[in-house]
């Protein structure tokens, strides 16, 4: 008896399985998983949808789909995420890079000249995704990624090595206790900015698989941002750029903290038209 399935049968059964488990965007996740296992482009899956799938591949697909049904994030199952055209290794050691942050990084690139030659400090570097993206096409720029999580720094170091970057360095740093011994031309950060109440309302993928230290801050989510602003006041060079990703509704409190020491304070919206990024220059 033939117990092999065609591609379209596997797509349909897996999608139904994920629907039953309440997984958001089930079909899309199924396509990513099948494309990952079979090493075929997503588009090609539908050109070959009547082909029988090799048993070995079908077993691997089933195992990935079961993991996804347990709400393990797709990015952890695939082990990689594409961020601004670059592969980034992705696992439980650090936050999964988000599309908003990809857009934030694009805005930072626009703000800096393409031939920018200074040092960029990325506070709370996580997987290293922001600093890698900023430095990958510009070997004249030096990147420093700092984080208080050793797990995150280990992951960032694997990502830097994967891209053979010699212009990006990492350092363990806790903005609550440590201090800098030098000044920087650019400080960027996507810090934790959720209140604990907001964190409780996130999807299981976020609550159970992203490190809580990467997401939650005291003082209604503003505590870490305020710490970073304090460091930036002391350690940005004159006219230096501060770029922050921020949470919903936090804009006014942050601008209040910044206005004495910064000029050109600019709020930028994300692709859903929400005010999510602040850029400013140090006086
Ligand atoms: C929202 S995640 C951002 C990760 C990465 N930059 C990104 O955009 O995907 C915030 C990062 O800040 C780090 N972090 C949290 N508290 C910190 C602290 N007190 N000092 C330094 N880093 C901290 C976390 O470990 C986490 O990697």
């Amino acid at each position: 008896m033939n117990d092999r399935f065609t591609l379209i049968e596997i797509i349909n059964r897996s999608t139904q399985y994920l629907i039953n488990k309440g997984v958001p965007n089930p079909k899309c996740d199924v396509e990513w998983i099948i494309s990952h296992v079979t090493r075929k482009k997503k588009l090609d899956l539908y050109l070959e949808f009547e082909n029988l799938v090799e048993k070995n591949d079908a077993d691997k697909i089933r195992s990935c789909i079961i993991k996804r049904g347990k709400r393990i994030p797709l990015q952890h199952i695939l082990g990689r995420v594409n961020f601004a055209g670059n592969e980034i290794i992705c696992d439980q050691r650090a936050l999964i890079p988000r599309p908003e942050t990809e857009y934030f990084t694009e805005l930072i690139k626009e703000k800096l000249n393409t031939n920018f030659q200074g040092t960029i400090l990325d506070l709370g570097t996580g997987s290293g995704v922001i600093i890698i993206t900023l430095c990958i096409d510009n070997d004249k720029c030096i990147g420093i990624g700092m984080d208080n999580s050793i797990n995150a720094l280990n992951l960032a170091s694997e990502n830097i090595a994967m891209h053979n970057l010699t212009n990006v360095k990492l350092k363990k740093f806790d903005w609550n206790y440590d201090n800098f011994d030098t000044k920087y031309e650019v400080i960027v950060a996507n810090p934790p900015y959720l209140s604990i109440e907001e964190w409780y309302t996130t999807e299981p993928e976020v609550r159970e698989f992203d490190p809580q230290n990467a997401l939650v801050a005291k003082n209604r989510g503003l505590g870490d941002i305020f710490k970073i602003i304090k460091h930036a006041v002391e350690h940005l060079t004159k006219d230096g750029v501060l770029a922050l990703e921020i949470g919903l509704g936090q804009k006014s409190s942050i601008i209040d903290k910044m206005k004495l020491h910064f000029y050109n304070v600019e709020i930028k919206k994300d692709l859903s038209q929400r005010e999510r990024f602040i850029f400013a220059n140090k006086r």
Side-chain angles (χ1 to χ4, degrees):
M1 198 180 89
N2 184 4
D3 60 354
R4 284 171 64 192
F5 294 104
T6 62
L7 253 177
I8 194 69
E9 282 170 329
I10 291 191
I11 291 174
N12 290 340
R13 282 165 178 247
S14 303
T15 303
Q16 192 52 53
Y17 179 83
L18 294 188
I19 290 172
N20 295 345
K21 297 281 177 186
V23 173
N25 307 316
K27 192 160 187 202
C28 184
D29 284 10
V30 166
E31 290 168 356
W32 274 116
I33 286 170
I34 297 180
S35 143
H36 169 75
V37 170
T38 59
R39 294 171 191 275
K40 292 183 201 294
K41 289 190 183 140
K42 274 173 45 164
L43 199 66
D44 291 345
L45 300 181
Y46 291 93
L47 299 176
E48 302 173 17
F49 69 96
E50 283 184 331
N51 289 4
L52 288 171
V53 177
E54 295 293 331
K55 178 162 180 345
N56 198 19
D57 280 353
D59 288 346
K60 284 188 199 157
I61 293 167
R62 186 176 307 114
S63 147
C64 292
I65 295 291
I66 290 171
K67 285 186 188 162
R68 189 69 193 102
K70 292 181 178 155
R71 303 300 291 264
I72 296 177
L74 179 69
Q75 296 88 336
H76 288 180
I77 296 169
L78 305 182
R80 299 282 166 109
V81 62
N82 186 299
F83 189 95
N86 301 307
E87 289 273 292
I88 294 290
I89 306 166
C90 183
D91 61 33
Q92 234 167 320
R93 287 175 289 176
L95 187 89
I96 294 171
R98 307 291 207 261
E100 302 92 281
T101 307
E102 191 171 359
Y103 185 59
F104 175 50
T105 310
E106 256 179 54
L107 294 175
I108 302 171
K109 275 189 154 180
E110 270 171 30
K111 185 90 186 167
L112 306 177
N113 276 330
T114 37
N115 52 358
F116 172 77
Q117 297 206 352
T119 304
I120 304 177
L121 172 61
D122 174 22
L123 282 177
T125 197
S127 61
V129 69
I130 298 178
I131 199 70
I132 289 172
T133 311
L134 294 177
C135 293
I136 203 161
D137 298 323
N138 180 359
D139 57 9
K140 302 257 169 22
C141 133
I142 295 174
I144 313 211
M146 296 191 183
D147 208 291
N148 70 343
S149 155
I150 284 287
N151 280 339
L153 290 171
N154 286 338
L155 178 60
S157 139
E158 286 171 26
N159 278 315
I160 291 166
M162 183 171 75
H163 290 289
N164 297 314
L165 293 179
T166 53
N167 55 337
V168 181
K169 305 283 176 230
L170 298 171
K171 188 173 173 192
K172 186 164 188 311
F173 179 89
D174 189 321
W175 52 65
N176 291 314
Y177 305 107
D178 300 325
N179 223 328
F180 306 116
D181 46 17
T182 183
K183 291 203 172 196
Y184 297 92
E185 283 103 349
V186 181
I187 298 182
V188 303
N190 170 21
Y193 51 69
L194 295 184
S195 66
I196 189 74
E197 292 78 18
E198 285 171 317
W199 178 81
Y200 278 121
T201 66
T202 58
E203 293 286 343
E205 285 85 345
V206 176
R207 250 185 352 265
E208 287 167 32
F209 296 95
D210 277 327
Q212 197 191 44
N213 174 57
L215 291 165
V216 178
K218 291 183 183 149
N219 187 7
R220 294 170 293 120
L222 287 161
D224 288 327
I225 292 180
F226 288 172
K227 281 275 175 189
I228 289 172
I229 292 174
K230 193 163 174 291
H231 281 294
V233 168
E234 290 163 19
H235 294 283
L236 260 181
T237 52
K238 184 172 177 320
D239 305 317
V241 175
L242 174 63
L244 296 172
E245 182 169 327
I246 65 169
L248 294 175
Q250 294 180 334
K251 169 188 85 167
S252 307
S253 316
I254 297 173
I255 291 179
D256 252 17
K257 276 270 176 233
M258 290 175 77
K259 60 184 177 206
L260 210 61
H261 302 281
F262 292 86
Y263 66 99
N264 268 351
V265 180
E266 245 185 308
I267 299 287
K268 302 254 188 194
K269 293 181 177 168
D270 65 14
L271 293 170
S272 313
Q273 298 307 307
R274 300 170 306 180
E275 296 177 311
R276 296 293 313 287
F277 315 112
I278 293 198
F279 288 78
N281 292 87
K282 170 81 195 316
R283 287 187 198 281

